[in-house]
Amino acid sequence: MNIFILTGAGLSAESNLGTFRDKGDGLWTRFDPMKLATPGAFARNPGEVHAFYNMRRQNLLAAEPNEAHRALARLEAGLVGRGNFFLVTQNIDDLHERAGSQRVTHMHGELLKARCTACTSAMPWREDLSVNLTCPHCGRTGTLRPDVVWFGEVPLQMDAIDDALAQSDLFVSIGTSGSVYPAAGFVEQAKELGIRAYEINLEPSDNARLFDEAHYGPATQAVPAWVEKVLAASVRS
Ligand code: BJW
C-alpha cells in the first residue's frame, strides 16, 4: 500500500498552534493575510510581517507534538518495507519532525528557517528576525525573511509531490480546510487518477464531497485510531 498524506493546521491545533480559518480564534480571522502573508506586504511593511512571524516562532518553540503527530511517525516506521509513505504538510511548524517523522515535505516552507531575498541562501533560524539583521552569507542588511510560502508564491517541491501522489493507492487529508491551492486540488488530482481519498478533520472541509470516506473528530483521537487500523491491516496482508 502506497500512502500519500497531506496535513494542515488542524493537526497542530491541539498543540496550541491554532488554525487559520477556525471561527473566533483562527489567525486569518484576527489578522489580515493580505497585510502579513504576501510578498507585497513584506515589501511595504517588513517590520509588521517580522513581528507576526516572531510571535508565531516563539509560540512554536513553546509547543510540543501531539498524539496525531506521533501516530503518523509510527505509521511511517511501521510501513518500512511494506509500501511507500509520503508525508506532505502545509504546516510551517516542525512538530512532525519532533514527533519522529523521518521524511517530511514542507510545501509552505518552515518557520525555523530564514531566507535571504538577495542571495537566496536559506538557513536554520530560531531567533526573532528584524530589518536590522545582516545575512551571514552575503553580508547584506535587511534582506532576511521567514522561509515560508506566501500567497502568490509557488509552493515548494511540487514536482516531487505530484510524482508521489501519482504513485499512491490512498490519499489521506488531515486537518485542512481545503481552501488553499494547490493543496486543495490534491483530492481532485487523486480522484482523476483513480486513487481512493480519505478525509480526517474536525468537520467536513470545503472539498468533503470529493472524498470516498471521512472521519470527523479531533486529530489526536481520529489519527491514532486510523493509524492502528492501517498498521494492523498491513501486518495481516
Ligand atoms: C481540526 C482540528 C483538530 C481544527 N483536529 N481538525 C485557484 C487555483 C489555484 C490557486 C489559486 C486559486 N485561487 C487563488 C489561488 C492562489 C492562492 C489560493 O489558494 N488562495 C485561496 C485563498 C483561494 N494560492 C497561492 O497563492 C499559493 N500559490 C500558488 O497557487 O502558486 C501558483 C502555483 C502553484 C503550483 C504550481 C505552480 C504555480 C500559495 C499559498 C500559500 C499559503 N500560505 C499560507 C501561509 C504560510 C505561512 C504561514 O503559516 O503563515 O499557508 S496561508 C495558510 O493557509 C497557510 C496554510 O498552510 C494554508 C492552509 O490552511 P489549512 O492548513 O487548511 O488551515 P485552515 O485553518 O484553513 O483549516 C484547518 C482545518 O483543521 C479546518 O478544516 C478545521 O475544521 C480543522 N481542525 N481543529 C482536526 N483538533
Side-chain angles (χ1 to χ4, degrees), residues 47-227:
E48 199 179 334
V49 174
H50 279 316
F52 176 67
Y53 284 96
N54 290 343
M55 170 193 79
R56 292 187 48 207
R57 194 178 300 101
Q58 285 164 18
N59 290 344
L60 171 57
L61 292 171
E64 295 293 337
N66 64 46
E67 284 309 315
H69 298 105
R70 281 191 272 275
L72 293 179
R74 279 200 302 282
L75 181 60
E76 180 183 18
L79 289 180
V80 170
R82 296 174 192 274
N84 293 335
F85 176 89
F86 192 86
L87 175 59
V88 55
T89 186
Q90 298 168 89
N91 299 342
I92 61 174
D93 64 56
D94 65 342
L95 298 184
H96 280 302
E97 287 88 345
R98 280 200 261 154
S101 287
Q102 298 297 310
R103 290 201 307 134
V104 185
T105 299
H106 282 273
M107 66 181 290
H108 290 167
E110 294 174 71
L111 184 54
L112 298 183
K113 285 187 182 166
R115 177 157 49 88
C116 177
T117 53
C119 73
T120 73
S121 301
M123 58 212 94
W125 203 277
R126 299 173 75 85
E127 313 299 326
D128 283 359
L129 281 169
S130 85
V131 291
N132 302 318
L133 292 168
T134 297
C135 171
H137 291 270
C138 71
R140 273 177 265 202
T141 298
T143 55
L144 292 178
R145 59 163 278 184
D147 192 15
V148 302
V149 178
W150 287 322
F151 286 110
E153 297 183 317
V154 179
L156 309 176
Q157 302 195 52
M158 286 308 301
D159 288 345
I161 292 170
D162 287 342
D163 286 350
L165 183 57
Q167 285 163 26
S168 64
D169 309 304
L170 178 65
F171 167 69
V172 186
S173 172
I174 307 176
T176 175
S177 60
S179 56
V180 175
Y181 288 85
F186 291 171
V187 62
E188 235 154 355
Q189 278 173 250
K191 296 316 297 169
E192 278 163 16
L193 294 163
I195 298 163
R196 274 187 78 72
Y198 182 49
E199 164 161 270
I200 300 177
N201 209 32
L202 199 54
E203 55 191 28
S205 68
D206 291 2
N207 291 327
R209 70 188 190 295
L210 296 170
F211 288 87
D212 298 295
E213 212 183 320
H215 182 101
Y216 298 115
T220 54
Q221 292 172 26
V223 176
W226 172 72
V227 164

